[in-house]
Amino acid sequence: QVQLVESGGGLVQAGGSLRLSCAASGSIFSIDVMGWYRQAPGKERELVAAITSGSTTNYADSVKGRFTISRAKSTVYLQMNSLKLEDTAVYYCNFRRYATNFWGQGTQVTVSS
């Protein structure tokens, strides 16, 4: 099993920045993809950004140019700049190994005007 613990969420004004971190522990071998998803109230969970074991990155169109995903050993980060009201959501860390997904508990990001 893989345990994921997110941190770094909080309340920020529009235009501000936050950096999310996700630390992994447990059986962290053969992880193919690390990623961040988010879920806003009344909406489905959506992919925000992902990074493969080969460091290829993928971003949702809505965050391109504003968010940056990176990784260091067993930790994945999400640097969020120029935050908008619509970025408000619970952000979840995700690690994928083959067809198995591991999820963190989520961290709330609230962007205020």
Side-chain angles (χ1 to χ4, degrees), residues 11-89:
L11 175 64
V12 63
Q13 285 191 325
S17 298
L18 282 175
R19 188 191 196 207
L20 305 183
S21 299
C22 175
S25 61
S27 302
I28 50 174
F29 59 88
S30 299
I31 297 297
D32 302 307
V33 183
M34 300 176 178
W36 289 94
Y37 288 70
R38 67 185 180 188
Q39 188 167 18
K43 295 188 176 181
E44 293 187 354
R45 191 173 296 189
E46 63 174 358
L47 175 67
V48 176
I51 184 166
T52 69
S53 57
S55 297
T56 298
T57 58
N58 180 41
Y59 295 93
D61 288 343
S62 59
V63 306
K64 283 181 181 177
R66 300 188 297 121
F67 291 12
T68 302
I69 190 169
S70 61
R71 57 186 291 177
K73 296 183 179 180
S74 58
T75 301
V76 63
Y77 304 95
L78 185 67
Q79 178 66 44
M80 305 186 293
N81 298 328
S82 302
L83 283 160
K84 303 177 180 180
L85 297 179
E86 52 264 41
D87 294 320
T88 294

